[in-house]
Amino acid sequence: MKELIDAIVAMDEEKAIALTDHMIDDNIDPMKILDAYRDAMAEVGRRFEEGKFFIPELILSGEMLNAASEKIKPLLTAANKSSKKKGKVIIGTVAGDIHDIGKDIVTLMLDINGYEVLDLGIDVPVAKFVEAAKDFNPQVIGMSGFLTMAYDPMKNTVAALVEAGVREEIKIMIGGGQMDNQIRDYVGADAFGKDAIEAVKLCDQWIK
Ligand code: B12
């Protein structure tokens, strides 16, 4: 795991892919492999903050994680997928924000844990969340955001759902890099989830 994290942080894409393939062949728990990618991304983020890394490093590390997710997704799906759906969830990265790696992991985990998930993608306008809420009729909406700039689009989305008269019957969870319980209060959501496991737990709690 340490070698994999070091390879990602060193931007050695070839080595990272080779190590990932090795671990998959050796039947290492796919969630542990994803955890290693997450730890590496956290380190990449720290170096970006310190001015040691720049946008190209962010893009390359994001691409490495996406490539690994593509390899890991079928393994998780095959192991856990149940055919009976527990409920419906809409998810999207809010307006102005294009980070989708975390959202995609949440979508994958909800999917393999039995939820029907409508993924609205990135930079999702407020109106698109409202329209989808009316058409898809979900029990839960998940908003993802990695930027401080995402706070207000989240708040506006909740306000628009209230305005449209659908807020009462829908639980709203938020998550992503800069989110926490204080921001949950600010935007008027029901819960903050720190990772994909918590997103699944919240839905399990809400949808009995
Ligand atoms: C990769 C990355 C990028 C990539 C994104 C690629 C992609 N396809 O997503 C690119 C290069 C495009 C990018 C662009 C930018 N980025 Co960027 N990026 C990152 C980085 C390094 C990693 C984020 C990531 O994907 N992590 C991996 C995921 C898997 O980690 P995770 O958070 O543990 O994920 C879990 C939770 O978040 C949770 N979760 C996620 N969504 C949801 C939703 C719900 C409902 C729930 C319950 C849970 C949940 O579950 C996930 C899975 O377990 C972070 C640094 C960091 N440490 O976070 C900066 C970071 C988020 N970026 C940052 C910035 C500033 C930018 C740019 C503005 C840079 C620029 N000057 O252009 C642009 C913004 C573009 C835009 N409009 O969105 C800043 C944000 C600072 C701030 N306070 O706003 C950060 C924090 C870097 C930094 N330290 O400064 N970025």
Side-chain angles (χ1 to χ4, degrees):
M1 291 299 170
K2 168 88 172 60
E3 221 184 324
L4 175 59
I5 294 171
D6 288 347
I8 302 163
V9 174
M11 300 294 138
D12 190 341
E13 192 175 10
E14 217 170 288
K15 188 170 179 192
I17 290 172
L19 284 169
T20 304
D21 287 341
H22 243 275
M23 287 175 172
I24 291 174
D25 289 346
D26 285 351
N27 288 322
I28 305 268
D29 180 356
M31 288 308 295
K32 293 235 161 68
I33 306 177
L34 272 185
D35 281 349
Y37 273 85
R38 261 213 340 242
D39 289 350
M41 300 303 287
E43 179 56 29
V44 170
R46 259 192 300 277
R47 293 190 187 193
F48 180 73
E49 255 169 37
E50 291 165 7
K52 291 179 185 155
F53 275 178
F54 301 95
I55 301 292
E57 280 89 359
L58 291 190
I59 294 178
L60 185 54
S61 56
E63 281 174 3
M64 283 192 261
L65 178 54
N66 269 337
S69 298
E70 285 309 310
K71 287 175 193 274
I72 288 167
K73 217 186 277 186
L75 305 177
L76 291 171
T77 309
N80 301 329
K81 195 157 186 154
S82 80
S83 53
K84 197 170 165 285
K85 294 294 172 199
K86 294 188 208 162
K88 291 184 180 182
V89 182
I90 287 177
I91 192 156
T93 302
V94 296
D97 196 326
I98 62 162
H99 294 84
D100 62 359
I101 301 169
K103 167 186 72 64
D104 289 350
I105 297 177
V106 173
T107 305
L108 169 69
M109 289 304 287
L110 287 170
D111 180 28
I112 62 177
N113 279 283
Y115 289 97
E116 190 181 346
V117 189
L118 175 63
D119 183 354
L120 300 178
I122 53 171
D123 191 13
V124 180
V126 170
K128 195 167 170 189
F129 272 109
V130 175
E131 198 184 306
K134 287 179 180 164
D135 293 347
F136 188 67
N137 216 4
Q139 287 97 334
V140 179
I141 292 181
M143 292 190 286
S144 184
F146 277 73
L147 302 172
T148 41
M149 250 171 50
Y151 301 163
D152 283 328
M154 284 186 175
K155 191 178 172 72
N156 297 340
T157 305
V158 177
L161 291 166
V162 172
E163 177 103 336
V166 293
R167 171 71 178 96
E168 293 280 290
E169 63 257 27
I170 298 174
K171 293 286 188 190
I172 300 176
M173 59 181 180
I174 63 163
Q178 309 299 316
M179 305 306 146
D180 57 24
N181 276 311
Q182 210 181 330
I183 305 307
R184 181 214 56 196
D185 280 350
Y186 175 73
V187 307
D190 297 297
F192 155 71
K194 76 168 175 10
D195 57 27
I197 308 286
E198 273 198 26
V200 173
K201 275 192 196 148
L202 285 168
C203 291
D204 285 349
Q205 251 170 47
W206 288 330
I207 306 172
K208 290 281 189 281

